[in-house]
Amino acid sequence: MNAVLPVLLFALGGVLIGGAWSMHRQGASRGALWLVGTLAVLATAGGVLWLIPGDT
């Protein structure tokens, strides 16, 4: 499970980034773009932080 979660978070981040880009091209409001973009950054950052070794 330790190797699966970061991959899922990166995949989610990619889907959200693609969705934000699609929304931008379709003329969505800035608030919606900020929300989806923020969620994409959080998911990607979560994937990166999960891969940082820690003391367990």
Side-chain angles (χ1 to χ4, degrees):
M1 182 68 175
N2 281 341
V4 175
L5 189 59
V7 173
L8 292 176
L9 287 171
F10 285 132
L12 177 62
V15 168
L16 287 170
I17 289 170
W21 180 253
S22 177
M23 290 171 60
H24 169 70
R25 292 190 50 130
Q26 294 178 22
S29 68
R30 285 186 182 236
L33 288 173
W34 274 103
L35 176 64
V36 175
T38 301
L39 291 174
V41 168
L42 287 173
T44 305
V48 170
L49 290 175
W50 196 273
L51 292 175
I52 294 175
D55 51 342
T56 56

